[in-house]
PDB file of all heavy atoms in Angstrom:
ATOM      1  N   PHE A 843      15.321 -45.746 -86.242  1.00  0.00           N
ATOM      2  CA  PHE A 843      15.231 -45.877 -87.874  1.00  0.00           C
ATOM      3  C   PHE A 843      15.071 -44.456 -88.289  1.00  0.00           C
ATOM      4  O   PHE A 843      14.793 -43.536 -87.617  1.00  0.00           O
ATOM      5  CB  PHE A 843      14.046 -46.780 -88.145  1.00  0.00           C
ATOM      6  CG  PHE A 843      12.471 -46.154 -87.823  1.00  0.00           C
ATOM      7  CD1 PHE A 843      12.010 -45.373 -88.765  1.00  0.00           C
ATOM      8  CD2 PHE A 843      12.195 -46.243 -86.509  1.00  0.00           C
ATOM      9  CE1 PHE A 843      10.710 -44.837 -88.511  1.00  0.00           C
ATOM     10  CE2 PHE A 843      11.024 -45.772 -86.280  1.00  0.00           C
ATOM     11  CZ  PHE A 843      10.314 -45.020 -87.170  1.00  0.00           C
ATOM     12  N   LEU A 845      13.091 -41.923 -91.033  1.00  0.00           N
ATOM     13  CA  LEU A 845      11.904 -41.633 -91.875  1.00  0.00           C
ATOM     14  C   LEU A 845      12.262 -41.732 -93.255  1.00  0.00           C
ATOM     15  O   LEU A 845      13.478 -41.306 -93.642  1.00  0.00           O
ATOM     16  CB  LEU A 845      11.277 -40.321 -91.446  1.00  0.00           C
ATOM     17  CG  LEU A 845      10.837 -40.194 -90.053  1.00  0.00           C
ATOM     18  CD1 LEU A 845      10.230 -38.713 -89.886  1.00  0.00           C
ATOM     19  CD2 LEU A 845       9.741 -41.245 -89.712  1.00  0.00           C
ATOM     20  N   GLU A 849       8.260 -39.078 -95.752  1.00  0.00           N
ATOM     21  CA  GLU A 849       7.820 -38.822 -94.432  1.00  0.00           C
ATOM     22  C   GLU A 849       8.460 -37.609 -93.751  1.00  0.00           C
ATOM     23  O   GLU A 849       8.036 -36.830 -93.051  1.00  0.00           O
ATOM     24  CB  GLU A 849       8.137 -40.075 -93.667  1.00  0.00           C
ATOM     25  CG  GLU A 849       7.188 -41.160 -93.826  1.00  0.00           C
ATOM     26  CD  GLU A 849       7.578 -42.601 -93.143  1.00  0.00           C
ATOM     27  OE1 GLU A 849       8.789 -42.756 -93.068  1.00  0.00           O
ATOM     28  OE2 GLU A 849       6.726 -43.328 -92.761  1.00  0.00           O
ATOM     29  N   TYR A 853       6.990 -34.399 -92.047  1.00  0.00           N
ATOM     30  CA  TYR A 853       7.393 -34.097 -90.719  1.00  0.00           C
ATOM     31  C   TYR A 853       7.898 -32.640 -90.562  1.00  0.00           C
ATOM     32  O   TYR A 853       7.558 -31.802 -89.792  1.00  0.00           O
ATOM     33  CB  TYR A 853       8.395 -35.020 -90.156  1.00  0.00           C
ATOM     34  CG  TYR A 853       8.819 -34.853 -88.739  1.00  0.00           C
ATOM     35  CD1 TYR A 853       8.118 -35.489 -87.743  1.00  0.00           C
ATOM     36  CD2 TYR A 853       9.827 -34.025 -88.394  1.00  0.00           C
ATOM     37  CE1 TYR A 853       8.412 -35.305 -86.367  1.00  0.00           C
ATOM     38  CE2 TYR A 853      10.181 -33.802 -87.005  1.00  0.00           C
ATOM     39  CZ  TYR A 853       9.476 -34.457 -86.060  1.00  0.00           C
ATOM     40  OH  TYR A 853       9.806 -34.277 -84.734  1.00  0.00           O
ATOM     41  N   ARG A 883       0.876 -33.674 -83.338  1.00  0.00           N
ATOM     42  CA  ARG A 883       0.912 -33.812 -84.775  1.00  0.00           C
ATOM     43  C   ARG A 883       2.394 -34.391 -85.175  1.00  0.00           C
ATOM     44  O   ARG A 883       2.557 -35.365 -86.101  1.00  0.00           O
ATOM     45  CB  ARG A 883       0.660 -32.494 -85.490  1.00  0.00           C
ATOM     46  CG  ARG A 883      -0.771 -32.049 -85.400  1.00  0.00           C
ATOM     47  CD  ARG A 883      -1.780 -33.087 -85.726  1.00  0.00           C
ATOM     48  NE  ARG A 883      -3.168 -32.634 -85.455  1.00  0.00           N
ATOM     49  CZ  ARG A 883      -4.110 -33.343 -85.151  1.00  0.00           C
ATOM     50  NH1 ARG A 883      -3.878 -34.685 -85.086  1.00  0.00           N
ATOM     51  NH2 ARG A 883      -5.267 -32.979 -84.929  1.00  0.00           N
ATOM     52  N   LEU A 884       3.368 -33.971 -84.486  1.00  0.00           N
ATOM     53  CA  LEU A 884       4.710 -34.336 -84.764  1.00  0.00           C
ATOM     54  C   LEU A 884       4.850 -35.898 -84.335  1.00  0.00           C
ATOM     55  O   LEU A 884       5.564 -36.654 -85.111  1.00  0.00           O
ATOM     56  CB  LEU A 884       5.715 -33.523 -83.884  1.00  0.00           C
ATOM     57  CG  LEU A 884       5.835 -32.157 -84.495  1.00  0.00           C
ATOM     58  CD1 LEU A 884       6.867 -31.286 -83.429  1.00  0.00           C
ATOM     59  CD2 LEU A 884       6.517 -32.063 -85.902  1.00  0.00           C
ATOM     60  N   ARG A 885       4.303 -36.241 -83.215  1.00  0.00           N
ATOM     61  CA  ARG A 885       4.400 -37.692 -82.831  1.00  0.00           C
ATOM     62  C   ARG A 885       3.623 -38.548 -83.887  1.00  0.00           C
ATOM     63  O   ARG A 885       4.107 -39.604 -84.136  1.00  0.00           O
ATOM     64  CB  ARG A 885       3.760 -37.814 -81.349  1.00  0.00           C
ATOM     65  CG  ARG A 885       4.545 -37.026 -80.353  1.00  0.00           C
ATOM     66  CD  ARG A 885       3.919 -37.222 -78.986  1.00  0.00           C
ATOM     67  NE  ARG A 885       3.844 -38.677 -78.576  1.00  0.00           N
ATOM     68  CZ  ARG A 885       2.777 -39.348 -78.193  1.00  0.00           C
ATOM     69  NH1 ARG A 885       1.559 -38.565 -78.012  1.00  0.00           N
ATOM     70  NH2 ARG A 885       2.757 -40.591 -77.795  1.00  0.00           N
ATOM     71  N   GLN A 886       2.464 -38.020 -84.237  1.00  0.00           N
ATOM     72  CA  GLN A 886       1.762 -38.771 -85.217  1.00  0.00           C
ATOM     73  C   GLN A 886       2.526 -38.981 -86.554  1.00  0.00           C
ATOM     74  O   GLN A 886       2.677 -40.107 -87.113  1.00  0.00           O
ATOM     75  CB  GLN A 886       0.408 -38.204 -85.455  1.00  0.00           C
ATOM     76  CG  GLN A 886      -0.584 -38.336 -84.378  1.00  0.00           C
ATOM     77  CD  GLN A 886      -1.906 -37.471 -84.594  1.00  0.00           C
ATOM     78  OE1 GLN A 886      -1.899 -36.517 -85.302  1.00  0.00           O
ATOM     79  NE2 GLN A 886      -2.939 -38.056 -83.953  1.00  0.00           N
ATOM     80  N   ALA A 887       3.113 -37.903 -87.076  1.00  0.00           N
ATOM     81  CA  ALA A 887       4.030 -37.920 -88.271  1.00  0.00           C
ATOM     82  C   ALA A 887       5.137 -38.896 -88.121  1.00  0.00           C
ATOM     83  O   ALA A 887       5.546 -39.528 -89.101  1.00  0.00           O
ATOM     84  CB  ALA A 887       4.448 -36.660 -88.633  1.00  0.00           C
ATOM     85  N   ALA A 888       5.629 -39.079 -86.884  1.00  0.00           N
ATOM     86  CA  ALA A 888       6.813 -39.865 -86.702  1.00  0.00           C
ATOM     87  C   ALA A 888       6.350 -41.338 -86.701  1.00  0.00           C
ATOM     88  O   ALA A 888       7.218 -42.294 -86.995  1.00  0.00           O
ATOM     89  CB  ALA A 888       7.553 -39.629 -85.394  1.00  0.00           C
ATOM     90  N   CYS A 889       5.092 -41.621 -86.466  1.00  0.00           N
ATOM     91  CA  CYS A 889       4.535 -43.037 -86.533  1.00  0.00           C
ATOM     92  C   CYS A 889       3.902 -43.371 -87.845  1.00  0.00           C
ATOM     93  O   CYS A 889       4.355 -44.444 -88.393  1.00  0.00           O
ATOM     94  CB  CYS A 889       3.438 -43.056 -85.374  1.00  0.00           C
ATOM     95  SG  CYS A 889       4.074 -43.167 -83.691  1.00  0.00           S
ATOM     96  N   HIS A 890       3.073 -42.616 -88.384  1.00  0.00           N
ATOM     97  CA  HIS A 890       2.379 -43.007 -89.660  1.00  0.00           C
ATOM     98  C   HIS A 890       1.726 -41.687 -90.161  1.00  0.00           C
ATOM     99  O   HIS A 890       0.947 -41.106 -89.520  1.00  0.00           O
ATOM    100  CB  HIS A 890       1.342 -44.163 -89.429  1.00  0.00           C
ATOM    101  CG  HIS A 890       1.002 -44.852 -90.662  1.00  0.00           C
ATOM    102  ND1 HIS A 890       0.643 -44.191 -91.788  1.00  0.00           N
ATOM    103  CD2 HIS A 890       1.075 -46.240 -90.956  1.00  0.00           C
ATOM    104  CE1 HIS A 890       0.259 -45.121 -92.754  1.00  0.00           C
ATOM    105  NE2 HIS A 890       0.551 -46.344 -92.253  1.00  0.00           N
ATOM    106  N   PRO A 891       2.089 -41.268 -91.439  1.00  0.00           N
ATOM    107  CA  PRO A 891       1.459 -40.071 -91.958  1.00  0.00           C
ATOM    108  C   PRO A 891       0.015 -40.096 -91.995  1.00  0.00           C
ATOM    109  O   PRO A 891      -0.678 -39.142 -91.849  1.00  0.00           O
ATOM    110  CB  PRO A 891       2.080 -40.068 -93.327  1.00  0.00           C
ATOM    111  CG  PRO A 891       3.248 -40.809 -93.232  1.00  0.00           C
ATOM    112  CD  PRO A 891       3.042 -41.853 -92.351  1.00  0.00           C
ATOM    113  N   SER A 902       4.342 -46.741 -93.822  1.00  0.00           N
ATOM    114  CA  SER A 902       4.960 -46.115 -92.753  1.00  0.00           C
ATOM    115  C   SER A 902       6.226 -46.780 -92.399  1.00  0.00           C
ATOM    116  O   SER A 902       6.235 -48.045 -92.334  1.00  0.00           O
ATOM    117  CB  SER A 902       4.134 -46.015 -91.591  1.00  0.00           C
ATOM    118  OG  SER A 902       4.920 -45.972 -90.238  1.00  0.00           O
ATOM    119  N   LYS A 904       7.993 -46.878 -89.763  1.00  0.00           N
ATOM    120  CA  LYS A 904       7.828 -47.498 -88.406  1.00  0.00           C
ATOM    121  C   LYS A 904       7.004 -48.758 -88.439  1.00  0.00           C
ATOM    122  O   LYS A 904       7.366 -49.798 -87.895  1.00  0.00           O
ATOM    123  CB  LYS A 904       7.170 -46.601 -87.421  1.00  0.00           C
ATOM    124  CG  LYS A 904       6.997 -47.176 -85.917  1.00  0.00           C
ATOM    125  CD  LYS A 904       6.574 -46.137 -84.949  1.00  0.00           C
ATOM    126  CE  LYS A 904       7.637 -45.171 -84.527  1.00  0.00           C
ATOM    127  NZ  LYS A 904       7.268 -44.396 -83.383  1.00  0.00           N
ATOM    128  N   ALA A1026      11.922 -42.914 -84.065  1.00  0.00           N
ATOM    129  CA  ALA A1026      12.370 -42.338 -85.293  1.00  0.00           C
ATOM    130  C   ALA A1026      13.485 -41.305 -85.065  1.00  0.00           C
ATOM    131  O   ALA A1026      13.366 -40.489 -84.183  1.00  0.00           O
ATOM    132  CB  ALA A1026      11.161 -41.690 -85.975  1.00  0.00           C
ATOM    133  N   THR A1029      13.693 -36.833 -84.519  1.00  0.00           N
ATOM    134  CA  THR A1029      12.319 -36.439 -84.390  1.00  0.00           C
ATOM    135  C   THR A1029      12.028 -36.102 -82.893  1.00  0.00           C
ATOM    136  O   THR A1029      12.959 -36.395 -82.066  1.00  0.00           O
ATOM    137  CB  THR A1029      11.306 -37.485 -84.870  1.00  0.00           C
ATOM    138  OG1 THR A1029      11.385 -38.596 -83.841  1.00  0.00           O
ATOM    139  CG2 THR A1029      11.588 -37.901 -86.224  1.00  0.00           C
ATOM    140  N   VAL A1030      10.916 -35.624 -82.512  1.00  0.00           N
ATOM    141  CA  VAL A1030      10.468 -35.491 -81.153  1.00  0.00           C
ATOM    142  C   VAL A1030      10.577 -36.656 -80.349  1.00  0.00           C
ATOM    143  O   VAL A1030      10.752 -36.567 -79.136  1.00  0.00           O
ATOM    144  CB  VAL A1030       9.180 -34.742 -81.269  1.00  0.00           C
ATOM    145  CG1 VAL A1030       8.066 -35.787 -81.521  1.00  0.00           C
ATOM    146  CG2 VAL A1030       8.906 -34.168 -79.869  1.00  0.00           C
ATOM    147  N   GLU A1031      10.506 -37.797 -81.058  1.00  0.00           N
ATOM    148  CA  GLU A1031      10.450 -39.087 -80.226  1.00  0.00           C
ATOM    149  C   GLU A1031      11.887 -39.310 -79.545  1.00  0.00           C
ATOM    150  O   GLU A1031      11.875 -39.789 -78.342  1.00  0.00           O
ATOM    151  CB  GLU A1031      10.205 -40.133 -81.148  1.00  0.00           C
ATOM    152  CG  GLU A1031       8.871 -40.338 -81.641  1.00  0.00           C
ATOM    153  CD  GLU A1031       8.629 -41.617 -82.447  1.00  0.00           C
ATOM    154  OE1 GLU A1031       9.568 -42.302 -82.855  1.00  0.00           O
ATOM    155  OE2 GLU A1031       7.413 -42.039 -82.615  1.00  0.00           O
TER     156      GLU A1031
END
Side-chain angles (χ1 to χ4, degrees):
F843 64 96
L845 296 178
E849 290 170 324
Y853 184 89
R883 298 307 176 207
L884 289 172
R885 294 179 61 229
Q886 289 175 330
C889 287
H890 199 305
S902 153
K904 179 175 284 194
T1029 70
V1030 71
E1031 292 188 337

